Amino acid sequence: MPDSTTLTVSTLTYLAPDGAVIFSGRSPDGNSVRVVAGKNIMPRPPVVGELWDIAGKFREHSKYGWQLYAQHARYVVPKGRLLVRYLADHPSFSGIGIGKAQTIYDAFGDQLVDLLNAGDAERLSSVLSASMASQLVSVWAENQAEAAVVAFLDEHGFDIRLANKLRRVWGTQAIQMLERNPYYMLAFTSWTRTDAAATKMGLQLDDTRRLVGAVEAVLYSRLHDGHTMTPIQILHERLPALLGRWVTDNDVRTAIALATSENAIVGDDNGFQPVGAASLEQRISERIHSMLNHKRDQRMTQGGLFPTASAHDAFISTAIAENEQHQGFALNAQQRAAVNMVFKAPFSVLTGGAGVGKTTVLRVIHSVASKMRIDVVQMALAGRAAKRMGEASGHDAMTIAKFLHLVRTGQLEVASGSLIVIDEASMLDLTSMFQILRHAPMDVRILLIGDAAQLPPIGFGLVFHQLASSAVVPRVELTEVHRQAAETGIPLIAASIREHIVPDISPYAGTQTGISFIECDNDGVTSVLQRLANDWDGDEWQVLSAIRMGTAGINAVNAFFHESSAKNEPDYPVAIGEPVIHLVNDYERGLMNGTLGRVVDVDEGKIHVDFEGTVHAIPAAEAAERLELAYAISVHKAQGSQFDRVAVVVTQSRILDHALIYTALTRGVEQVVFVGGREAFETAVRAPAFTQQRHVGAVV
């Protein structure tokens, strides 16, 4: 028989990405119990002050003593004197300390639960202020609703950890919404689970809600893979697999017509889109066209500085010449054209491969803008990309997330006539681009800088890649590789790969500049990486991979290196000296998603990490959502960053393509070593990039 107890949560020690959790609580007799709950045991992380029924087995740990290894956990609404501690400790009941909680219980005794369930704020106001009594019954109702949603999800076979998401979207109406149409759950979970729950609730196979839900499921699945548009042929291919093999082409047409009539989707015989994605593309297109079609001569709007267009052009030419003299070398024709474009066009694109001088152009743009009294706001999607942009240009840069946060909260106002520069713009998804345009004044200039051969955004849609090939958007492509950049050989090899030409790469011969290859199977990858780590000891190095799972995936590589580093702290996700990556934007700490750091200390409840020279104490309970080991990171996470030496793991997978190889290669400054299968490498280089296979609507 399992050991059972009811605990009031006192400390949340560790929360894993898969939902596993370690916490401590007080039993009714006052004893402290440390609980270890694996994934899928708890519907959500416990909150300090809450009451949970825990069933499991006690086992003795060599360091932490007796621990209760949970097999089942259930959130419970406290009764009796446990209610006092619950009201005093739970953060939702702010303002009610132990003294006030005891006063309430003394006044009403065991009737208090009934009063709270009935929402009787009037009676409670005899011992509390009216506002506090109202808050108390409101929060109590929310917690009761949560328990009801968890029970509903569990009964119908859904992941009970979705309860918080449902309550954020629908509040106390979550159950009613799902009873009205269980296929609303498709926004949160799979077709298989949703359809099974709907069948259990009594919906028939030909129910219109099921037909519309199946169409949405196909489009959501495609959206997850980056497509905003789904050709009708794909709907005809995939809908029978969801609805049943008995479905005919006529049934498919009926389902599509129903979904269209209910405004669940939009489109025509060329293809269909989720309403949200279609709206984003349309509004982005309208804004860019509005900027491009503005009838004012953009060269004559600098506060009356230039009486004629020719005076404007002459000023730019003089400013460029002054910069050339100052930096000691001349811009090439493409670079001059790029600088001129930015100050003539309200919206423009600068593109080019590695080592072609995009950063040089950016520095000159800043200099000219300063002379013209134009404010420049520059940003990039990833934290390291923004940091590198700032260092390269000599001017402050921020992440897109920080820019949006500052303008939304009124901490940043983009001045009229400003120039917004977005670097590594190939990473821009539809949502980010829409939000930037939404918060930018109508008369700003916008410049996108990037490389269309790099990876597409993680999110859905294509923005930069479409704009970079548009016939209506002003664009300059830099193609001349600078001599200094070419010395390592990386830009020249990158240029070949950019054109889908397989380069001749030599075997690895130790620490040096250039590109090399170590061939091995997946099982041999970690031992090869250990060899490189030994060779590169003392240098800045980074492992990049396309995949998370498998013996050569990111998780396996991180676990391999962690095993030898974490011998003294086996219960913590990280150990002293290990590299980590920050996973969320934290504006108070100044830490952005993608910031790399190194653990400097670990103690009970805190992980101390040095991020770019500043040590931050991360609560262990937040580690799972904030930190991840970073011996190996994804190529997407590395996009926008550069490292002295890079090892790129090459394994056959459905996501290994030309753009991923090219992007990974251009992360290296001194040396890049490909590790894995040469055949997979060559196949990926020759094949078209997956970017070209994305189905999207137009953004210009």
Side-chain angles (χ1 to χ4, degrees):
M1 291 291 292
D3 298 303
S4 300
T5 187
T6 300
L7 298 174
T8 300
V9 180
S10 56
T11 305
L12 185 59
T13 302
Y14 173 59
L15 175 64
D18 60 5
V21 63
I22 301 174
F23 68 96
S24 297
R26 289 186 300 274
S27 63
D29 57 9
N31 291 326
S32 179
V33 178
R34 181 179 169 104
V35 178
V36 179
K39 64 179 182 178
N40 300 325
I41 298 297
M42 305 193 73
R44 61 161 174 79
V47 175
V48 172
E50 287 184 338
L51 203 66
W52 288 80
D53 279 342
I54 307 294
K57 285 287 187 182
F58 276 100
R59 295 204 301 269
E60 190 171 9
H61 187 276
S62 58
K63 180 174 181 179
Y64 299 108
W66 287 98
Q67 299 186 132
L68 178 57
Y69 290 80
Q71 298 170 353
H72 181 75
R74 182 175 65 90
Y75 166 74
V76 295
V77 178
K79 296 180 181 180
R81 294 198 171 276
L82 288 175
L83 192 57
V84 174
R85 179 57 64 181
Y86 175 72
L87 295 176
D89 290 348
H90 198 292
S92 297
F93 301 108
S94 58
I96 299 180
I98 187 67
K100 195 165 291 183
Q102 187 66 55
T103 299
I104 300 170
Y105 184 78
D106 290 343
F108 300 107
D110 291 340
Q111 290 185 341
L112 180 56
V113 172
D114 294 332
L115 292 176
L116 291 170
N117 287 339
D120 195 342
E122 184 176 351
R123 287 195 62 189
L124 290 170
S125 62
S126 64
V127 291
L128 296 172
S129 67
S131 60
M132 185 168 289
S134 178
Q135 177 195 359
L136 179 57
V137 298
S138 175
V139 173
W140 181 271
E142 289 180 10
N143 290 351
Q144 291 282 75
E146 178 194 0
V149 172
V150 169
F152 179 91
L153 294 177
D154 194 31
E155 178 185 353
H156 293 91
F158 290 117
D159 186 344
I160 56 178
R161 289 173 295 174
L162 293 172
N164 275 349
K165 287 186 178 180
L166 297 183
R167 292 174 62 247
R168 281 197 296 269
V169 174
W170 292 314
T172 58
Q173 300 298 309
I175 293 178
Q176 291 92 320
M177 293 295 292
L178 295 180
E179 288 176 336
R180 182 183 308 164
N181 186 349
Y183 290 96
Y184 289 155
M185 279 296 294
L186 288 170
F188 307 97
T189 190
S190 69
W191 166 264
T192 302
R193 283 183 178 270
T194 302
D195 196 41
T199 301
K200 189 175 181 180
M201 294 169 66
L203 272 70
Q204 300 300 307
L205 295 180
D206 60 352
D207 190 296
T208 57
R209 290 170 291 182
R210 184 171 188 264
L211 299 178
V212 173
V215 175
E216 290 184 290
V218 173
L219 267 58
Y220 289 159
S221 173
R222 297 259 303 157
L223 202 65
H224 180 75
D225 292 333
H227 307 283
T228 63
M229 176 79 73
T230 296
I232 193 169
Q233 182 58 37
I234 292 179
L235 282 166
H236 276 272
E237 292 170 357
R238 296 193 181 184
L239 279 174
L242 302 184
L243 293 171
R245 296 299 176 185
W246 51 268
V247 170
T248 66
D249 282 348
N250 187 57
D251 295 323
V252 170
R253 284 190 288 271
T254 298
I256 294 171
L258 283 168
T260 305
S261 67
E262 293 187 10
N263 296 318
I265 64 172
V266 296
D268 51 35
D269 288 344
N270 294 318
F272 292 88
Q273 297 183 272
V275 173
S279 176
L280 288 175
E281 287 179 340
Q282 180 181 354
R283 295 177 71 176
I284 289 171
S285 178
E286 289 172 351
R287 174 64 189 272
I288 293 176
H289 275 290
S290 176
M291 295 176 71
L292 293 173
N293 293 333
H294 208 287
K295 293 183 179 179
R296 285 187 305 149
D297 188 331
Q298 294 293 319
R299 294 171 295 183
M300 301 175 66
T301 60
Q302 309 306 319
L305 283 178
F306 309 108
T308 65
S310 59
H312 173 279
D313 295 347
F315 183 92
I316 300 296
S317 296
T318 300
I320 291 174
E322 290 174 354
N323 272 276
E324 290 174 329
Q325 184 176 7
H326 176 74
Q327 64 192 9
F329 61 87
L331 302 183
N332 61 35
Q334 293 172 340
Q335 291 173 317
R336 287 195 194 94
V339 176
N340 275 286
M341 171 187 70
V342 170
F343 296 101
K344 292 180 180 179
F347 191 98
S348 57
V349 169
L350 174 61
T351 185
V356 295
K358 295 190 292 293
T359 299
T360 298
V361 171
L362 180 59
R363 285 198 293 265
V364 176
I365 288 171
H366 271 281
S367 176
V368 175
S370 176
K371 290 180 170 65
M372 297 175 73
R373 300 201 294 271
I374 296 175
D375 291 337
V376 179
V377 180
Q378 58 180 11
M379 66 193 78
L381 187 66
R384 282 179 67 89
K387 183 174 184 291
R388 190 164 65 90
M389 185 186 194
E391 292 171 346
S393 67
H395 296 269
D396 290 341
M398 68 188 84
T399 65
I400 291 173
K402 185 174 183 179
F403 167 78
L404 294 175
H405 172 75
L406 293 176
V407 295
R408 284 169 182 155
T409 56
Q411 299 178 65
L412 172 66
E413 183 176 351
V414 180
S416 176
S418 295
L419 169 63
I420 294 177
V421 182
I422 306 171
D423 198 11
E424 298 291 346
S426 65
M427 302 169 70
L428 271 177
D429 61 15
L430 276 181
T431 304
S432 298
M433 188 66 191
F434 170 75
Q435 292 293 343
I436 292 169
L437 293 174
R438 181 186 176 194
H439 290 91
M442 285 301 298
D443 63 346
V444 299
R445 286 182 172 82
I446 294 180
L447 169 65
L448 304 186
I449 303 176
D451 184 349
Q454 289 192 16
L455 285 169
I458 297 176
F460 53 82
L462 288 174
V463 177
F464 182 81
H465 298 75
Q466 286 197 76
L467 296 173
S469 60
S470 169
V472 299
V473 175
R475 170 177 59 93
V476 168
E477 180 176 7
L478 305 181
T479 59
E480 182 180 328
V481 176
H482 287 204
R483 180 185 59 80
Q484 287 180 319
E487 289 178 352
T488 65
I490 293 175
L492 296 178
I493 295 286
S496 295
I497 291 177
R498 202 170 190 266
E499 299 302 320
H500 298 273
I501 299 171
V502 176
D504 183 18
I505 300 179
S506 303
Y508 176 71
T511 302
Q512 57 188 23
T513 59
I515 305 172
S516 55
F517 210 114
I518 300 177
E519 293 187 61
C520 64
D521 60 19
N522 289 357
D523 291 338
V525 165
T526 51
S527 60
V528 170
L529 293 177
Q530 181 65 70
R531 172 189 170 191
L532 292 175
N534 294 338
D535 289 353
W536 293 344
D537 186 34
D539 291 344
E540 179 196 47
W541 59 271
Q542 184 64 57
V543 178
L544 304 181
S545 179
I547 59 174
R548 282 200 163 274
M549 309 308 292
T551 57
I554 293 170
N555 293 346
V557 172
N558 283 331
F560 172 80
F561 284 105
H562 175 68
E563 185 177 357
S564 59
S565 299
K567 291 178 179 177
N568 296 325
E569 290 289 346
D571 291 306
Y572 274 89
V574 295
I576 295 173
E578 291 197 291
V580 293
I581 186 168
H582 200 257
L583 303 175
V584 297
N585 293 320
D586 184 337
Y587 303 106
E588 292 185 5
R589 288 187 173 98
L591 295 175
M592 297 296 110
N593 182 3
T595 304
L596 292 169
R598 194 166 293 274
V599 178
V600 295
D601 193 16
V602 174
D603 55 35
E604 182 70 24
K606 292 284 181 65
I607 298 172
H608 304 268
V609 184
D610 183 340
F611 287 109
E612 299 173 349
T614 301
V615 176
H616 297 265
I618 307 298
E622 300 176 11
E625 63 181 27
R626 285 184 172 275
L627 301 178
E628 189 173 81
L629 286 168
Y631 293 101
I633 61 176
S634 69
V635 181
H636 266 111
K637 284 287 188 186
Q639 199 166 356
S641 302
Q642 287 191 304
F643 310 92
D644 290 344
R645 306 190 189 279
V646 173
V648 183
V649 178
V650 181
T651 60
Q652 188 64 52
S653 77
R654 66 179 185 84
I655 63 172
L656 181 68
D657 79 330
H658 162 268
L660 193 142
I661 293 289
Y662 174 78
T663 304
L665 170 61
T666 52
R667 299 312 92 201
V669 176
E670 296 290 332
Q671 183 176 21
V672 177
V673 179
F674 289 100
V675 178
R678 192 180 285 266
E679 182 179 351
F681 170 84
E682 294 179 355
T683 299
V685 170
R686 293 192 182 99
F690 292 154
T691 304
Q692 301 172 22
Q693 302 171 33
R694 277 198 183 187
H695 293 115
V696 295
V699 295
V700 287

